Amino acid sequence: MNPIVTPAAVNPTVDYLRISLIDRCNFRCQYCMPEGEELTYLQQQAYLTNAELLTLLQEVLIPCGFTRFRLTGGEPLLRSGIVDLVQSIAALPQTKDLAMTTNAFRLAELAQDLYDAGLRRINISLDSLEPETFDRIIGNRGRSRWQQVWQGIQVAHQVGFDPLKLNVVVIPGVNDHEVLDLAALTIDRQWHVRFIEFMPIGNAGLFDRKGWVDSATLRQQIRDRWGLTEAQVKGNGPADVFQIPGAKGTLGFISQMSECFCDRCNRMRLSADGWLRPCLLNETGQLDLKTALRSGESLAELRTRVKALLTAKPAINFKMRESGTTGAYARTMSQIGG
Ligand code: SAM
Ligand code: SF4
């Protein structure tokens, strides 16, 4: 008799690369950055230059099968020359999909140029609809930044980004009272709100104090209010997608805490200083592509090493970390490239 192979047990093609362009950020979100601690940032010469990044994409990563890219950080809109870089990556003939994750603080001024450069999909972090709560979450003490972010979202919508997704990390006692208000954004707008389970990465102290809310609880809350049906939206990620009946947009739930989706993982990460990582929370096998490139290692040799990492990837995952193999939690999402 043939063994029953469930879809979850089949290793998917790894063709999705999340590219961190910068480890710095203009926000200091409570859940992303450590408390009261100075972060050390990369020096300018440590960054992959645009030319190095494009060489790695064209000569190493694309030939190894990566064709779908997300630009992230830190805050990717702080990278100088971001529009030109977007244009160069979008113009690569093998690029099938190019997206960005941003906090949207600079989006109102840049959305049209980014769209014209070839960016089509955008995910924006929006953890609260209340300016005061928002400012508390992002660590802002000056003039409120909420309006600027909200305006960035509106401009991105007008410019035509589609799908336009809003990321929410739900933290008990911080913004969990807003779950229904955030979900309601999808009723009249073709926006896609995604609730991400809070992970103990970046600020483990906050995680220990506040805990986290699982996706099933959030879904139940929303189902009790409006009902929920299964739905679909374009994307490369592990979200389970639902919809309020009759709504224009959708609701996604990213449940990396309550449900291990390592078996479905289709991605690797490239950090701003050129480390290729097979797993968010596990540094086993990671490759220092920048140093290899700068020291003159041949592109053929780099391709061989990336292919070996792709072969090794299925065994490198969160589950392995749980068994105590590595301590990668010391890094924040902004350093790894969230
Ligand atoms: N600065 C951009 C932004 O905030 O959208 C991109 C980088 S940020 C590191 C990427 C994503 O990681 C954001 O959606 C953020 O909410 C998420 N993130 C950061 N720390 C997290 C944590 N501890 N648990 C869950 N998600 C986290
Ligand atoms: Fe910056 Fe994004 Fe991290 Fe917030 S989640 S501190 S915006 S990198």
Side-chain angles (χ1 to χ4, degrees):
M1 202 173 76
N2 288 332
I4 297 169
V5 180
T6 61
V10 176
N11 290 316
T13 306
V14 178
D15 60 357
Y16 176 38
L17 187 68
R18 294 177 73 99
I19 303 170
S20 176
L21 296 179
I22 187 164
D23 63 343
R24 289 163 195 266
C25 189
N26 42 358
F27 289 3
R28 199 172 167 126
C29 298
Q30 289 181 17
Y31 54 77
C32 179
M33 303 273 189
E35 287 164 339
E37 208 182 287
E38 281 310 308
L39 279 178
T40 48
Y41 294 108
L42 296 172
Q43 298 298 309
Q44 195 55 41
Q45 67 275 15
Y47 280 99
L48 282 175
T49 63
N50 288 1
E52 287 170 334
L53 175 56
L54 289 167
T55 299
L56 284 176
L57 287 174
Q58 274 178 293
E59 305 294 338
V60 180
L61 296 159
I62 288 173
C64 289
F66 292 98
T67 54
R68 297 180 294 140
F69 308 110
R70 174 171 296 278
L71 306 178
T72 180
E75 175 45 41
L77 296 183
L78 295 184
R79 169 107 178 194
S80 65
I82 181 64
V83 174
D84 290 342
L85 187 55
V86 163
Q87 188 161 35
S88 302
I89 299 175
L92 297 175
Q94 301 89 342
T95 299
K96 285 192 191 150
D97 184 35
L98 180 60
M100 179 182 282
T101 303
T102 172
N103 64 28
F105 190 67
R106 296 196 64 210
L107 197 54
E109 65 180 289
L110 288 171
Q112 185 68 58
D113 289 347
L114 290 167
Y115 192 87
D116 294 345
L119 190 71
R120 288 291 177 271
R121 303 202 299 114
I122 205 152
N123 288 14
I124 298 166
S125 293
L126 183 75
D127 299 305
S128 175
L129 293 171
E130 301 169 350
E132 272 182 30
T133 306
F134 181 82
D135 286 322
R136 208 172 310 124
I137 292 172
I138 70 163
N140 180 44
R141 295 206 181 90
R143 190 165 151 246
S144 178
R145 294 186 156 196
W146 185 88
Q147 193 60 42
Q148 175 86 11
V149 167
W150 185 249
Q151 205 203 335
I153 297 170
Q154 307 286 341
V155 174
H157 175 70
Q158 284 152 18
V159 160
F161 282 100
D162 182 27
L164 189 155
K165 299 183 184 176
L166 302 179
N167 288 350
V168 183
V169 177
V170 181
I171 304 176
V174 175
N175 61 349
D176 57 339
H177 59 289
E178 292 190 67
V179 167
L180 293 180
D181 292 339
L182 286 157
L185 290 175
T186 65
I187 295 176
D188 296 326
R189 301 171 180 85
Q190 212 192 334
W191 292 356
H192 307 278
V193 172
R194 294 136 41 94
F195 295 104
I196 304 173
E197 288 177 352
F198 181 21
M199 289 186 283
I201 172 172
N203 187 349
L206 183 74
F207 183 91
D208 289 343
R209 282 197 310 281
K210 299 281 188 183
W212 55 287
V213 189
D214 65 282
S215 297
T217 303
L218 298 178
R219 275 200 293 273
Q220 194 55 49
Q221 216 180 321
I222 298 166
R223 192 177 282 121
D224 288 347
R225 173 70 177 80
W226 292 288
L228 266 186
T229 52
E230 283 189 25
Q232 283 190 330
V233 65
K234 183 172 189 222
N236 299 313
D240 297 313
V241 184
F242 294 81
Q243 195 162 34
I244 295 171
K248 290 186 177 161
T250 65
L251 295 168
F253 297 87
I254 302 177
S255 317
Q256 69 288 349
M257 293 294 290
S258 59
E259 179 206 334
C260 176
F261 43 68
C262 296
D263 294 338
R264 293 189 264 148
C265 183
N266 59 354
R267 63 192 58 189
M268 285 202 193
R269 289 178 154 80
L270 184 66
S271 68
D273 56 345
W275 285 88
L276 184 66
R277 293 199 167 84
C279 172
L280 176 64
L281 296 182
N282 191 326
E283 296 185 340
T284 308
Q286 61 178 331
L287 291 178
D288 182 357
L289 294 180
K290 181 196 68 191
T291 301
L293 193 67
R294 288 186 185 173
S295 61
E297 206 168 309
S298 79
L299 295 167
E301 176 58 24
L302 287 184
R303 285 193 288 273
T304 304
R305 288 171 64 188
V306 171
K307 282 181 188 156
L309 189 57
L310 281 162
T311 306
K313 176 173 161 61
I316 304 171
N317 54 37
F318 282 23
K319 287 182 270 185
M320 181 184 185
R321 188 191 178 282
E322 277 160 18
S323 63
T325 9
T326 167
Y329 279 159
R331 290 173 191 274
T332 69
M333 292 281 268
S334 64
Q335 289 169 320
I336 303 167

